[in-house]
Amino acid sequence: YQNRVENMILTPLFDEVYEKELGAFGRHFQHKTRDFGLGSSDVGNISQVVPTIQPTINITDGPTPWHTEASKAAACSEKGLASIRIGATVLALTALDLIEDPALLEKIKQETRHFAKRQLTWFRHERNVTWIDVTQYEDAGEIAEWISTNIIRR
């Protein structure tokens, strides 16, 4: 089972730093909406704790389904390897920007905290949300059992 990545805390200022570095390589940032599909990572959960970006970079000229032989071949192609090098370089330069400008990093952290607070306020007003204090359980199995008994079987 994989959660949808729809609870990601967006950090526009962090995106701007990445976008500036990407532009130096002649690439353009394409903003995604919150409904861009299923995710295959826990980046949304990570973004609840630390400022997070989830950039992608094209490795082909057209759409290629992820986790397929075609995407593997694209990643190993000349364009794919060049794109991967650019992506890694842009991420490194983005990190360097934040290291060299502690005030910018602090603004990004503050932006993340403010968005998280707004998100929690919204969730508190939702009637269909059940909050679970996971610190009350020994392991994930106990949590799953509680969910199964108290939420799924209601």
Side-chain angles (χ1 to χ4, degrees), residues 5-75:
V5 181
E6 58 188 0
N7 64 332
M8 183 165 172
I9 293 179
L10 303 176
T11 50
L13 185 55
F14 201 171
D15 288 343
E16 287 175 22
V17 177
Y18 176 83
E19 188 173 3
K20 175 191 72 127
E21 294 298 346
L22 186 64
F25 288 86
R27 299 287 181 106
H28 301 286
F29 192 79
Q30 294 179 338
H31 293 272
K32 303 281 186 178
T33 61
R34 295 194 123 247
D35 58 346
F36 59 87
L38 295 173
S40 60
S41 72
D42 58 1
V43 71
N45 298 341
I46 301 301
S47 74
Q48 302 291 318
V49 182
V50 296
T52 306
I53 56 174
Q54 188 181 27
T56 59
I57 194 160
N58 292 335
I59 59 172
T60 65
D61 292 324
T64 303
W66 289 16
H67 308 293
T68 63
E69 288 299 318
S71 68
K72 181 172 87 172

